[in-house]
Each structure stands twice: as C-alpha cells, then as structure tokens.
C-alpha cells in the first residue's frame, strides 16, 4: 500500500436527479497517490464518468479496475489547463462500487474539478463543419471503414473508432447501420480495444455454411490486434445478434506473420467459390499475402503480390479483392486488388490505387506492367477504401474522407472523421486497358429535396448562377460540358466571403482540376504555414498551386473519359466536394472548409467557348 496519499477530494454527482425513494446517491472521490496516479472511487455508479478532454495534453491511462487481467487502460487526453469537450467513460451496471485508476495525469490538473457522474451524455451536434448527409460518428475520432457487410436488409458500417477523444487512439470498431447507404443509425461500438491490442482494420463475412461453428449465418469479423507487446496479429470474433455485439475467439490470434513482419494487418476475408474455401488477403509490408482456410481458424499461406508494383513509397494497407465484369460482360470477369498507400498520394499523404488482373486460386497475376499506377480517386481525401461483402451483384466501396497528413488537426472538435459517399465500382475499357470506375451509389438520389433546372447556355461570357441549396449549402450539381475550343472551362463554387473552390477542365493539359487554395480555412495543424522550402519534390510538380499540405489543387487525367462531352456530378456538403465524371471514370474527393456555405456558381471559359447543357441543381438533405 502506498504511503504518499496527498489529497482526498469528495464530489457529489451534480447531473443526476434524485428521488425521495432513491437515496443511493452516487459519490465520487479522488485519491491522488504521488503525482501521477489517481484512484477514483465511485459509490452507486451512474452509467458514465464524464471526462474532460484537452487535445494538446499527453494521454493519461484510464482503467476501469475490476481486478481482472482483462482490464484495459484507455489512453485519454484529460484536461490539464483548459477543458475543450467531454467524453463518456462507461461504468459497470448494477454494482455498488466501481474503481477507476488514472495514471500519468498530474494531481494539479484541471480535470479533477470537472470529472462528473451522469446517466446520459449529450450528443447534440456542436461542430460547425459536421456534414449534412455524410456519415460521421456522433462524437470521437473515426478513420478507416471496417468490416463492411450487408445482412438482412442492413448495411453494417464498422469503423476505426476512438470513443475517448477526437484524435486517433484506443482503436475500437465503431458501428452504424443503414437500410439505404444514406441514413445511418449510430450503435454502440461493436469490438473494443483489449489486452491483445488496438482493434485495427479488417472485414466481416456471413458464415453461410457454418464453417466456423458459431451457427449458420453467424457474422464473423476479422481484425488486426496491434500492440507493442504482441505486434500485428490477425484475430477473429463472431456475432449471432446481427452484428450488434461480438464475442472474441478464445484462441486468438488466428494468424501471425511467419517471418515476424512488423506491418502485417487489415485482413480482408472472402469466400472463393472454385476452391470452396475462405480466403484472406492481408497487407504485409510492401506485399499483399493470400491465405486460405476451411474453418476460418487455421489459415494456410498461398502467395504474395505487390512488391515493386504501382506507387509504393511505403507499406501497403487495407486491401480488398473483388471480382467484376469488364464493360458489364459477365463472361469477362476480372479480379481487382484494391490497395491503400500512405504516404504515396501524388498530392501528398494517403491515396488508393488498384491492380486489375486474374486469380488462379493461388496467385494474383496483374495485367499491367509494374510501373503502372491506377488510382481510384484523384482527390486528397479518399483513403482506406474497402467494399461491402454479401452484396450479391453490386460492389460498393466506402472511403474514409481524410488524409493522414492532417486528419488529426482538421477544424473539428466533437467528432473528427467522415466517410465519403458510398460508391458503386465497375470496370470499363479505355484504349485497350481495363480501369475501375467509382460512382456515387444510386441511393444518393434519395437525398434530393427539390431540383432547379438551368436552361442550356453557352459560355461565351461568364455566367453566375445563384444556387438554391439544401440545408447549410448541401447540394448536387449535374451538367454536361462540351468544350468548344476553350482551353479552360471552369465552375467556381463561391460564397459571399469571397471564398471559392475552383473546378475546371484544363483542356490543354487534359486535366480535371479541383483547386481548394482559396476555399475557406486552408491552414491548420503543424504544417499550417506555407512551406518556404518544400522538400517533397513530386508534390511541387504534380499538384496545382501547392501552398501547404491542405491548400492545393488536385487533378485527374481527362484521358480516362471518352471526351467531347463530360458529364459532371458534383456533391457539396458542409466540408467536402466530391466530383464524379462520366459515371465515375474520374472520382475526386476533397475536404473544404468554407466559413459560409457556397451559394453561387460562377461558370467561365477561357480561350474559346463551351456549351453547358442539362444543368440541374438538386437541394440535398436528410
Ligand atoms: C489505415 C490504417 C490501417 C490500420 C488502421 C489503424 O488508415 O493505418 O492500416 O489498420 O489505420 O487505425
């Protein structure tokens, strides 16, 4: 027993209503042992301990102490000198006493005065930039989409989630469900960080043949447990209540790297019909490794693919492996390996690429030369993209809409991280090569709340259209653009503060560009200031008007399209712009932070004319 008890403070819960017949008052007391360990004693616990957060603070170690070896300390940035927001920390139900230990937070930190007991946690939105129609967690941090699976009419979106602050940490699988890919219901996290490690990314399948023995149609999740102690190992958990709760397999892990690889993660499992087996693809440093299994618990190594292919400045992450018909022809099926790379984006940071080829049940054979890089999206905020399993004839992908360069410092507080719109993937041929298109799913039409049609016009002179948008500027703009000798045909989304996102076809360079250098807030985080000396050479040459990690223009080659007329479909939300050209041959996803919603569209042409037809502006809302 420690002798150096410095202070003992008592605090009553202030937020709990008492009734005459409920005299069991919740009581909270802090026992500071030394300067960096505090024991929190709670009598008659409420549902939550409400913890004050300051993002610039170091992480404290907060543990619900039940005396079990399975107790896990969560890393929480408790406020030291000012409170920015609060997060709930669940307490055990039906107990008389609970003990929470808090390590690495000084006894004179401000948090001790504002920790509270409560039965509710207010999740009403407090973020200016929370999207109107994109999925976000109610509060806390989100990165990759995980374990996407469709079952019994529900799309399950699990995601890399920190429930204890809006910066990366304490990886859990958060959980939301939807019946239409647009309206999401927030559920409790499905898989929590444990003593084997953070619950990193992975996948979920429906066990139709009861291969794993947890019942027919059990949902089986595969994820990476990641910790300094155990490294990165693949684990399994199952759910028999439609994905609400998962039980971890008692003999986890099911797969460890045979060569001690440090980067070995993000298992994607799929049923491979010809072999009547389950297959797993795992990112393994600069390769993707294939394994197969009959019972999902014992995995046999088959092969690996990747080293030297495409853009590869760092390890591969978050694989997916899907089969699609080329040009809709089911007699010509191709396999596509989706690979997420970070860093490696030509515009800096994170990006998604893919390889098209054939799979013989053991090895993947890529159709193209090692040097060829095909990109799934040409914006800067499209990462960790993976697809739903069990969607029959459709392949639907969901990206995380951010970039590791600045994901932790975007001007958002209550939640941090959104998904880009779900996209339907398809293969098309262009100049003898097979490419993958990513188009916003047709369910997005359900967001439309009224449409204004604009008469066709020619861009001899510029034209400014005032946009009737949905809530907070949410809208979708569709049009057909036919450049007629113009060297540039542009569309500026503008607000009354003079902020603008400039979208233009640069016909000389044959590029579609989205320039966000003047889009609103453009500088935050450590690299907020323009770089006097930018060392990352490729970013200077490849991106347009590069100022800092955020303020730049991203571009896509128009050669992916048939040309002559381009169909643009532009989705604008509170802090994002997504463009889909010609059914997703080009997809471009970028965050923007205008300080007032964009409400007009300036259309212009330089060096010639352009015809704009079939323009429609849809108000979007939920
Ligand atoms: C990709 C990633 C994954 C990992 C997860 C951790 O963004 O780095 O490789 O599983 O994030 O949160």
């Amino acid at each position: 027993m420690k002798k150096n008890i410095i202070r003992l403070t008592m605090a009553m819960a202030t937020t709990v209503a008492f009734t005459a017949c409920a005299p069991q008052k919740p009581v909270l007391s802090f026992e500071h042992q030394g300067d960096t360990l505090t024991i929190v004693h709670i009598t008659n616990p409420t549902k939550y301990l409400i913890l004050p957060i300051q993002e610039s603070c170091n992480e404290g170690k907060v543990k619900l102490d039940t005396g079990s070896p399975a107790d896990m300390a969560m890393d929480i940035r408790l406020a030291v000198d000012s409170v920015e927001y609060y997060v709930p920390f669940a307490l055990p139900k039906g107990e008389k006493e609970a003990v929470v230990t808090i390590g690495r937070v000084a006894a004179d930190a401000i948090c001790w005065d504002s920790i509270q007991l409560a039965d509710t946690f207010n999740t009403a939105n407090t973020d200016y930039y929370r999207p109107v129609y994109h999925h976000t967690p109610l509060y806390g941090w989100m990165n990759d989409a995980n374990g996407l699976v469709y079952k019994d009419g529900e799309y399950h979106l699990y995601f890399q989630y920190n429930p204890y602050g809006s910066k990366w940490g304490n990886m859990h699988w958060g959980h939301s469900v939807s019946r239409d890919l647009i309206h999401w219901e927030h559920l409790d996290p499905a898989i929590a960080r444990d003593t084997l490690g953070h619950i990193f990314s992975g996948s979920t399948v429906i066990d139709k043949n009861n291969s794993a023995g947890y019942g027919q149609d059990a949902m089986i999740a595969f994820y990476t447990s990641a910790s300094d102690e155990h490294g990165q190992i693949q684990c399994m958990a199952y759910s028999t209540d439609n994905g609400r709760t998962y039980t971890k397999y008692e003999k986890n892990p099911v797969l460890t790297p045979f060569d001690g690889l440090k980067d070995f993660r993000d298992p994607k499992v799929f049923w491979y019909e010809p072999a009547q087996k389950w297959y797993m693809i795992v990112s393994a440093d600069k390769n993707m490794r294939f394994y197969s299994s009959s019972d999902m618990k014992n995995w046999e190594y088959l092969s690996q693919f990747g080293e030297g292919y495409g853009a590869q400045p760092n390890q591969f992450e978050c694989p997916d492996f899907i089969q699609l018909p080329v040009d809709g022809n089911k007699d010509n099926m191709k396999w596509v390996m989706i690979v997420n790379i970070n860093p490696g984006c030509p515009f800096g940071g994170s990006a998604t690429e893919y390889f098209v080829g054939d799979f013989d049940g053991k090895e993947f054979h890529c159709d193209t030369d090692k040097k060829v890089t095909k990109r799934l999206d040409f914006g800067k905020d499209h990462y960790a993209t993976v697809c739903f399993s069990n969607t029959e004839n459709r392949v639907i992908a969901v990206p995380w809409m951010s970039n590791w360069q600045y994901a932790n410092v975007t001007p958002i507080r209550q939640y941090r991280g959104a998904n880009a719109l779900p996209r339907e993937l398809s293969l098309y041929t262009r100049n003898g090569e097979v490419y993958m298109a990513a188009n916003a799913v047709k369910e997005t039409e359900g967001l439309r709340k009224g449409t204004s049609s604009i008469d066709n016009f020619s861009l001899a002179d510029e034209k400014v259209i005032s946009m009737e948008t949905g809530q907070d500027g949410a809208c979708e703009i569709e049009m057909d653009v036919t450049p007629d000798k113009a060297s540039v045909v542009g569309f500026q989304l503008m607000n009354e503060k003079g902020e603008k996102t400039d979208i233009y076809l640069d016909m000389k360079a044959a590029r579609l560009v989205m320039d966000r250098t003047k889009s609103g807030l453009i500088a935050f985080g450590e690299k907020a200031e323009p770089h006097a000396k930018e060392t990352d050479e490729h970013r200077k040459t490849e991106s347009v008007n590069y100022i800092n990690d955020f303020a730049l223009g991203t571009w896509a080659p128009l050669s992916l399209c048939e040309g002559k007329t381009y169909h643009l479909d532009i989705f604008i939300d509170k802090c994002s712009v997504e463009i889909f050209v010609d059914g997703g041959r080009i997809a471009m996803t970028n965050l923007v932070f205008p300080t007032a919603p964009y409400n007009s569209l300036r259309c212009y042409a330089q060096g010639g004319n352009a015809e704009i037809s079939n323009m429609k502006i849809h108000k979007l809302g939920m």
Side-chain angles (χ1 to χ4, degrees), residues 167 311 341 481 499 565:
K167 278 180 173 295
I341 40 169
V481 182
E499 296 162 348
T565 296

Side-chain angles (χ1 to χ4, degrees), residues 143-144 160 168 171 200-201 265-266 317-318 383-384 404:
N143 55 294
D144 317 355
Q160 289 288 279
W168 188 91
M171 284 297 105
F200 270 15
S201 288
R265 58 179 180 267
D266 309 338
E317 296 185 324
C318 301
Y383 196 56
W404 279 117

Side-chain angles (χ1 to χ4, degrees), residues 201-203 222-224 232-235 254-257 261 263-270 279-292 299-301 303-305 316-321 337-339:
S201 288
S203 54
F222 293 87
Y223 57 89
T224 303
Q232 300 190 347
I233 51 182
Q234 313 321 316
C235 293
V254 292
L255 181 65
T256 55
L261 268 190
D263 290 303
F264 184 64
R265 58 179 180 267
D266 309 338
K268 170 74 189 194
V269 171
F270 58 98
Y279 276 54
M280 183 192 285
I281 171 170
V282 188
S283 60
D285 200 358
K286 295 197 170 192
N287 280 296
M288 294 298 187
R289 284 189 184 159
F290 287 95
Y291 296 81
S292 73
W299 292 90
E300 184 193 344
Y301 173 71
S303 66
Q304 64 181 11
F305 167 85
F316 282 170
E317 296 185 324
C318 301
D320 210 323
F321 198 58
M337 186 185 287
I338 298 179
V339 173

